[in-house]
Amino acid sequence: MAGEAGTTELKRRYRALVAAGELRPDPDQERAVAVLAALAEKLEEQPRRGSPIWRLAGRFERPPGGVYMWGGVGRGKSMLMDLAFETIHYAPKRRVHFSEFMLEVHDRLRAQRATGAGDPVPHVAKAIAAETKLLCFDEMIVNNSADAMILSRLFTHLLDGGVTVVTTSNRPPRDLYKDGLNRDLFLPFIALIERALEVVPLNGPTDYRLERLGGMPTWYVPNGPEATAALSEAFFRLTDYPVEDRTKVPSEELHVPGGRTLHVPKSLKGVAVFSFKRLCAEARGSADYLAIARHFHTVVIVGIPKLGPENRNEAARFVSLIDALYEHKVKLLAAADAPPDQLCTTGDGAFEFERTASRLMEMQSADYLARGHGAT
Ligand SMILES: Nc1ncnc2c1ncn2[C@@H]1O[C@H](COP(=O)(O)OP(=O)(O)O)[C@@H](O)[C@H]1O
Ligand SMILES: [Mg+2]
């Protein structure tokens, strides 16, 4: 709400974090905060649906389209999005990871199509608009034609339905679905974003996430208390977790295909901690690994053993897990009984494991760590 000095809560909160030294001053972020604060003010001035003013005039005016923040990894996109989501007093609002939202949209389209009632897109968009007035997406990315083909119509109907969108992405709108199949059919979506949303680059020189890791190694050998302590320190640095709360990190039930769930023992701000056992010793497959790779930008795995003929199923699952993480540019921190190139040296899998070992090596490089999350 516009505060005493006419300053929005968002600006106050951001400035307080900078003043406290939790955030370093960053001109790109300040610009983005100003844009988000202006959005907050506009939204908070909107007459409440159904109120007399709304009946008189408000319903004929469309709320602002929203904001599109883009930039490289660790620039503070998700942080600002979370701050905006918390401080914008406008309801109903929802924050969701973009790829999960799209899976949900396809489910709803499928159900709607089954009723045989014509074009399902407007119908589904209308239903979403009735549930949410502010949609905050983290990590907008378009990498399949099923999404690409419906996005323009879906978002046109959402915006027409009065939904405001705040989104982050690691590329500017003009590079979305770059080199994708039938990209000309996707271009109207780019035009829509550029027209309806305020596009704000958040692409300063500093990757704060990498900076928080402060050059810490990402692969620890061997498993044991020292590795566990280092990884837990990395986890807390990456999630800005308050020291006093360290005993109660939230867990999560991640939805995976087939209506099942996967228990994530520690899950916070896109960072997950798993044991090797949970991921590779149970009956899990590439669909589970894909869900993990889409959902988390960073994964910590502890307890990776040496792999050989005695645990060949685990080894095969591990290969498929690392493929999914690698393809989605997920950052990996791990504790293992050997360095990647000595993890699997015996048995039939050893030859094929060379590719995985090489991926694991690359995943430790500064270049890999600076790449944006998501498949391209
Ligand atoms: N101005 C800043 N100064 C210091 N740390 C920051 C700043 N902005 C963001 N961070 C921290 O950097 C990390 C990465 O930020 P995040 O929002 O996750 O980046 P992105 O979503 O752009 O990849 C987070 O721990 C965040 O709190
Ligand atoms: Mg992010």
Side-chain angles (χ1 to χ4, degrees), residues 338-345 353 357 361:
D341 59 344
Q342 288 157 45
L343 206 55
C344 179
T345 49
F353 196 83
M361 297 304 287

Side-chain angles (χ1 to χ4, degrees), residues 14 22-26 29 71-80 138-139 168 202 207-209 211-212 237-240 269 297:
Y14 180 77
E22 300 211 8
L23 297 179
R24 299 222 321 257
D26 180 310
Q29 289 187 357
V73 154
R75 281 357 187 234
K77 300 182 298 294
S78 302
M79 183 270 299
L80 287 185
D138 200 18
E139 305 195 327
T168 75
L202 203 60
D207 176 346
Y208 295 108
R209 184 177 302 147
E211 194 182 80
R212 287 203 176 201
R237 283 198 205 173
L238 287 169
T239 56
D240 309 314
K269 295 196 183 171
H297 60 68

Side-chain angles (χ1 to χ4, degrees), residues 109-124 153:
L109 288 174
R110 221 169 286 124
Q112 180 57 27
R113 220 171 271 128
T115 69
D119 183 1
V121 173
H123 191 96
V124 167
R153 281 187 307 134

Side-chain angles (χ1 to χ4, degrees), residues 32 35-36 38-40 42-43 62-69 88 90 133-137 155 159 162-168 192-200:
V35 169
L36 291 167
L39 177 73
K42 274 192 211 144
L43 290 178
R62 214 157 92 166
V67 176
Y68 181 107
M69 291 186 272
I88 296 180
Y90 190 63
K133 289 289 157 219
L134 173 63
L135 261 176
C136 293
F137 297 118
F155 273 66
L159 294 164
V163 175
T164 298
V165 172
V166 176
T167 187
T168 75
L192 175 69
I193 295 219
E194 288 179 339
R195 188 169 66 237
L197 308 197
E198 189 149 355
V199 177
V200 191

